[in-house]
Amino acid sequence: MTSCDAGDISFASSKAGHTSPIIAVVHQVLGLLPELSVAENIGIVHARSGWSQISRRRMREIALGALRLIDPAIGEEIIDLPARKLSLHEGQIVELARALSTGAEVLLLDEPTANPTAGETAKVFSVLKRLVQEEGIGIGMRSTGRSRQRKRLPG
């Protein structure tokens, strides 16, 4: 990781018909709705407006597809759970999946390693590393913890 306080970043989309990449932001504070299921928390961003609806079946399809990009094993385990029952790490995975479900080519992450345990931090970095290497997702992150900044993603 590199520390920067000024400059420009340029991206080009790899998707046909797009000149700019789809960028999604994942905030440090989880924005999950606690009474909605994981599928609903991911699928809700696909409703065209506050009054439109998306079928539960379609939400599940979208959510499982996005969760499989992160961890193929976790999707079926948590898809129907209400968000309030998720661990912090699982909540972060759902937030990442929601961002990826939009077709994001670049993820901007605010304090993705602000987990309480070193093990959870290692899991987050493992997921991010795989997304960069296997899915070609660009990752930008802000982290204030000096020890956490020493960890590098491939680039």
Side-chain angles (χ1 to χ4, degrees):
M1 287 183 231
T2 305
S3 296
C4 298
D5 59 6
D8 296 319
I9 299 174
S10 299
F11 297 104
S13 179
S14 64
K15 298 187 185 222
H18 288 100
T19 56
S20 297
I22 299 169
I23 299 173
V25 178
V26 179
H27 299 277
Q28 178 181 358
V29 177
L30 300 182
L32 302 177
L33 300 169
E35 297 306 315
L36 295 184
S37 71
V38 167
E40 291 165 331
N41 268 286
I42 294 170
I44 198 167
V45 298
H46 297 276
R48 297 197 185 271
S49 73
W51 297 106
S52 67
Q53 293 184 355
I54 181 171
S55 75
R56 290 194 188 281
R57 190 180 114 264
R58 182 69 183 127
M59 278 189 196
R60 279 181 62 81
E61 289 171 3
I62 291 168
L64 283 171
L67 287 165
R68 283 185 189 118
L69 287 174
I70 297 167
D71 182 351
I74 199 170
E76 290 292 341
E77 293 175 20
I78 66 170
I79 193 78
D80 295 314
L81 287 178
R84 66 180 152 70
K85 292 193 175 186
L86 300 175
S87 69
L88 178 59
H89 174 68
E90 290 168 335
Q92 281 187 310
I93 295 298
V94 173
E95 288 280 7
L96 284 171
R98 181 167 42 194
L100 291 170
S101 77
T102 65
E105 297 172 272
V106 177
L107 295 176
L108 300 179
L109 309 171
D110 179 24
E111 296 283 352
T113 58
N115 284 310
T117 69
E120 287 179 336
T121 297
K123 287 179 185 178
V124 170
F125 271 110
S126 176
V127 166
L128 296 177
K129 183 177 180 179
R130 197 179 61 67
L131 288 173
V132 169
Q133 291 177 333
E134 296 176 18
E135 303 296 332
I137 303 292
I139 307 243
M141 68 178 87
R142 182 185 82 86
S143 180
T144 56
R146 287 287 173 212
S147 64
R148 293 176 186 131
Q149 287 181 350
R150 292 188 196 115
K151 184 83 174 173
R152 294 188 59 96
L153 292 175

